[in-house]
Amino acid sequence: MSAIPLPASGASAAGPRHVAIIMDGNGRWAKRRHLPRIAGHRKGVEAVKKVARAARDLGIDYLTLYAFSSENWRRPPDEVRDLMGLLRRFIQSDIEEFIREGVRLAIVGDYRALAPDLVAMIDDAMARTAANPGPTVVIALNYGAQAEIADAARRLAEQASAGTLDPATIDETLFERTLASGKLPPVDLLIRTSGEQRLSNFLLWQAAYAELLFVDALWPDFDGDALAAALGAFAQRQRRFGGL
Ligand code: FPP
């Protein structure tokens, strides 16, 4: 039996509490318009703002957005620089809107490896929005699920070898609490845009029972209506959590 209590099976009429999105297709959006890739990413930030606002209106508590994976460092340096520039601008100028709208900002991933001024801005933005009622918009930055899981395993192994942890007590609940993102609730609905059907190392633990939705829209074209349509598709799903 699972150590983590799972919800009862059934239709998903209540709506997802935690929606996670792999925002894919910025580059293709730009290419189709003969624009540089940065134009697609810029438009992608506009979509982030629209979708965050819609999440609040649709009663979603947690919206986790995959903005930069730990594998994205392999992109050309110019593109990495452009993405960091957009992130910097987003944190600087859009945070006031988040504060006004009651959104809480959180981060998953090793964001402390980013430029020190950006880290300071992110810490400040999280502190300034910490008391907001929500929803919580979680930005995944320099994030990779396998590294996060390996890190949790290493920390538990260290405690066990130091004699402060009995290995027999390691179960799903303890493991989950040890994950850096252990405070996030399970993902109910995971959306990937642009027609690709991969998880790309995103929230592998938390998405264990997520409903997966792959949509053809490119991320810059995704908006509040598209999110509402995704919630409609979710409502049609029968969730069984391993039961009948
Ligand atoms: C995937 O599209 C998108 C990314 C790797 C980055 C997502 C980033 C943003 C939406 C902007 C920054 C976000 C914030 C929160 C400020 P792709 O470039 O892989 O598209 P392609 O597969 O069509 O080339």
Side-chain angles (χ1 to χ4, degrees):
M1 187 160 160
S2 168
I4 300 175
L6 291 170
S9 307
S12 327
R17 179 169 184 230
H18 185 180
V19 175
I21 308 184
I22 301 175
M23 308 182 287
D24 198 6
N26 294 348
R28 275 162 283 169
W29 184 93
K31 193 170 179 194
R32 282 180 196 175
R33 289 162 179 77
H34 308 286
L35 294 170
R37 290 178 61 81
I38 175 73
H41 293 315
R42 222 178 270 135
K43 197 78 183 165
V45 177
E46 294 307 313
V48 166
K49 291 192 262 180
K50 283 185 209 165
V51 170
R53 208 168 299 132
R56 189 201 49 191
D57 298 342
L58 292 165
I60 292 166
D61 289 339
Y62 288 82
L63 176 71
T64 303
L65 302 171
Y66 208 2
F68 195 85
S69 79
S70 39
E71 289 75 32
N72 284 153
W73 296 110
R74 296 181 193 145
R75 294 195 173 205
D78 281 2
E79 180 160 349
V80 171
R81 198 202 48 224
D82 287 344
L83 282 168
M84 292 299 152
L86 284 177
L87 180 68
R88 192 174 269 110
R89 209 167 313 144
F90 173 76
I91 298 287
Q92 262 174 341
S93 40
D94 295 313
I95 209 63
E96 297 303 331
E97 196 177 323
F98 269 31
I99 292 168
R100 264 199 312 280
E101 295 188 355
V103 171
R104 208 180 305 132
L105 179 74
I107 303 290
V108 288
D110 186 14
Y111 76 98
R112 294 194 174 278
L114 304 183
D117 69 311
L118 189 49
V119 174
M121 270 180 219
I122 292 171
D123 283 338
D124 179 59
M126 284 198 286
R128 291 179 64 203
T129 61
N132 283 355
T136 301
V137 173
V138 186
I139 311 283
L141 276 180
N142 195 17
Y143 176 81
Q146 290 179 334
E148 185 189 30
I149 291 169
D151 184 56
R154 189 184 320 107
R155 280 193 279 144
L156 291 173
E158 281 165 2
Q159 291 170 29
S161 67
T164 56
L165 174 72
D166 175 0
T169 63
I170 299 174
D171 61 8
E172 296 96 313
T173 306
L174 176 61
F175 196 88
E176 187 168 288
R177 268 197 268 127
T178 313
L179 288 172
S181 65
K183 288 203 185 81
L184 290 183
V187 174
D188 298 301
L189 173 63
L190 192 149
I191 303 168
R192 184 176 189 137
T193 58
S194 91
E196 305 289 344
Q197 303 191 2
R198 285 189 295 279
L199 292 181
S200 297
N201 203 13
F202 189 41
L203 299 176
L204 298 181
W205 177 280
Q206 297 84 351
Y209 284 95
E211 294 297 326
L212 306 182
L213 188 68
F214 300 105
V215 299
D216 287 334
L218 302 176
W219 175 249
D221 294 324
F222 199 87
D223 58 10
D225 288 345
L227 184 64
L231 264 52
F234 176 84
Q236 302 301 315
R237 304 275 179 98
Q238 282 287 326
R239 303 190 80 192
R240 286 199 274 276
F241 302 101
L244 289 178

